[in-house]
Amino acid sequence: MSIGPDAAHKTWSKHTRRGEWMIWGGWFSLAVVFVLSWQVMNERTIWAFVEDAPRQGADLLSRSWPPRWDYLGNLWQPLWDTLNMATLGTLLGTAMAVPLAFLAARNTSPSLLFLRPVALFIIVASRSINSLIWALLLVAIIGPGILSGIIAIALRSIGFVGKLLYESIEEIDETQVEAVRATGAGQLQLIDYAIVPQVLPAFVGMTIFRWDINIRESTILGLVGAGGIGLQLQGSLNTLAWSQVSVIFAVILLTVIVAEWVSSKVRRAII
């Protein structure tokens, strides 16, 4: 195996005294954080329940088997609602994320002092709040149902798509923008002919990826009343119908696998 000239002339030097102290200080801080975290967990954990967990888990599995497969007929409509929730929420969130991304990108924002910070704040706020919390708030405001779930998914998707898109816009090849600008194109024409073609493949990929994530998230929004198959799951849990719960878990697992396969195929065909 040959060694390149850079590797041959590379010399190794010992850490300085200050560097060694910083390394040891970092490891010591990590050990302190671990000990403190363990103490907090130990104080707030009832270890008798932990010791009994294997027996309780085995008992729960015995109640869940065999699955009640005749309950499948009650799941098709909630499953369809879940898919619609994820799809419509993704489309709505993406539609709102696109203008925010162009406002947040440094090379396309018309106002770096006002509009860009506002757009970045909206993107960060969307990413900071989980879709389940959005759904909980919306159910209290709008009422239970699939509409609350759609809006919750949309509000969560804004931050994801907006962040990835504005970062892609900032990383474009500026030479193509300068070439189009040299033809006398205006700002909208620059976006249409120089920026959009560069970010379009990544944008489609991130949108499909977000849809795949939203399929997973929409399955549990029914736990707070936002509709979908999660509502059936909540009802079965409340009535301790564990054989129905196992069927619902199987349907959710199969749905996620199919969504993962579809998104992977579409992204591979486009990107």
Side-chain angles (χ1 to χ4, degrees):
M1 181 177 68
S2 61
I3 301 177
D6 293 338
H9 294 86
K10 190 172 182 179
T11 58
W12 297 93
S13 60
K14 186 180 179 181
H15 291 295
T16 62
R17 177 71 64 178
R18 181 181 179 184
E20 290 181 352
W21 279 109
M22 291 181 65
I23 293 174
W24 282 108
W27 281 109
F28 178 75
S29 300
L30 183 62
V32 170
V33 171
F34 175 80
V35 172
L36 293 176
S37 301
W38 176 264
Q39 290 179 346
V40 172
M41 183 193 71
N42 191 44
E43 292 174 356
R44 302 180 180 180
T45 300
I46 303 176
W47 291 105
F49 289 168
V50 177
E51 294 174 359
D52 191 50
R55 189 180 67 84
Q56 295 295 335
D59 179 63
L60 187 61
L61 289 176
S62 66
R63 297 183 187 183
S64 303
W65 192 266
R68 183 186 165 189
W69 296 112
D70 60 338
Y71 187 67
L72 274 174
N74 299 325
L75 299 180
W76 300 127
Q77 184 60 46
L79 179 61
W80 178 247
D81 291 341
T82 298
L83 296 175
N84 285 329
M85 189 190 309
T87 304
L88 294 176
T90 303
L91 293 176
L92 182 60
T94 302
M96 292 186 286
V98 170
L100 283 174
F102 279 96
L103 292 176
R106 190 177 298 274
N107 52 341
T108 58
S109 180
S111 173
L112 297 178
L113 296 178
F114 177 70
L115 291 179
R116 184 171 189 267
V118 171
L120 289 174
F121 174 78
I122 296 174
I123 290 174
V124 172
S126 170
R127 294 174 59 243
S128 301
I129 303 177
N130 190 273
S131 58
L132 194 63
I133 300 177
W134 280 121
L136 188 62
L137 294 173
L138 290 166
V139 166
I141 297 172
I142 302 175
I146 189 174
L147 179 61
S148 297
I150 292 173
I151 299 177
I153 291 292
L155 292 176
R156 176 65 171 169
S157 300
I158 291 174
F160 181 91
V161 177
K163 177 178 172 58
L164 294 181
L165 182 57
Y166 95 76
E167 289 179 349
S168 298
I169 294 172
E170 290 184 340
E171 296 171 357
I172 62 172
D173 184 4
E174 291 292 341
T175 58
Q176 298 186 31
V177 179
E178 294 300 325
V180 176
R181 183 180 286 116
T183 64
Q187 185 63 28
L188 292 179
Q189 291 173 318
L190 286 175
I191 294 176
D192 192 17
Y193 293 102
I195 299 177
V196 171
Q198 295 189 61
V199 301
L200 186 59
F203 168 70
V204 174
M206 68 183 67
T207 302
I208 296 173
F209 183 50
R210 185 63 218 183
W211 174 79
D212 182 25
I213 296 174
N214 287 339
I215 291 289
R216 296 172 173 84
E217 294 193 351
S218 61
T219 58
I220 63 171
L221 295 188
L223 296 178
V224 295
I229 199 170
L231 195 60
Q232 301 296 117
L233 178 60
Q234 179 67 27
S236 297
L237 290 173
N238 290 339
T239 58
L240 303 180
W242 300 110
S243 59
Q244 294 178 186
V245 171
S246 60
V247 174
I248 296 173
F249 280 168
V251 171
I252 292 176
L253 177 61
L254 181 60
T255 302
V256 170
I257 292 174
V258 172
E260 175 71 23
W261 179 81
V262 171
S263 64
S264 176
K265 290 294 183 180
V266 174
R267 279 188 281 122
R268 189 177 295 114
I270 293 176
I271 301 177

